[in-house]
Amino acid sequence: MNHTLHGDNVEITDALRDLVGEKLAPLGQGTDTTSARVTLKVDGSMQAASGTLHVNGQDLTTITATASDMHTAIDRLGNKLSAQLKRHKQRQHGRLQ
């Protein structure tokens, strides 16, 4: 799975790039997820990570996770995207029956 990483008021370091790749890797295994767009943003004291998955030719809803530090925000984003992908699979499976 390809992923694009953008920074808004934040420098994208190799450590952040690796962390995002690590959190997104399980989402691409065994699914039709082709790409993901992630934006990291610093707004005052809050850190935010937003992401959109591209699945089967469509974009899933953009998910945003906030926390007091960027690593926690990225971790929460990975969990939220995983849950969104699971719901998408369940909806698709229900339509096939």
Side-chain angles (χ1 to χ4, degrees):
M1 173 177 69
N2 297 327
H3 64 277
T4 306
L5 185 59
H6 298 283
D8 188 10
N9 294 332
V10 65
E11 180 182 347
I12 304 298
T13 63
D14 290 337
L16 287 176
R17 190 176 310 280
D18 292 343
L19 182 61
V20 169
E22 176 184 317
K23 296 299 177 182
L24 294 180
L27 300 178
Q29 296 175 352
T31 66
D32 294 329
T33 305
T34 57
S35 65
R37 287 187 312 268
V38 177
T39 302
L40 305 179
K41 182 178 182 178
V42 176
D43 186 25
S45 64
M46 292 303 292
Q47 316 283 320
S50 300
T52 304
L53 293 177
H54 188 73
V55 182
N56 290 335
Q58 65 182 1
D59 287 336
L60 297 183
T61 305
T62 301
I63 304 289
T64 302
T66 58
S68 59
D69 69 292
M70 190 58 74
H71 293 275
T72 304
I74 293 170
D75 189 42
R76 288 180 183 170
L77 176 67
N79 293 339
K80 287 183 175 185
L81 287 174
S82 177
Q84 179 70 21
L85 185 60
K86 183 177 179 181
R87 284 191 298 271
H88 176 75
K89 286 182 193 178
Q90 289 173 343
R91 278 186 245 131
Q92 292 299 319
H93 182 64
R95 288 183 190 162
L96 296 176
Q97 293 179 352

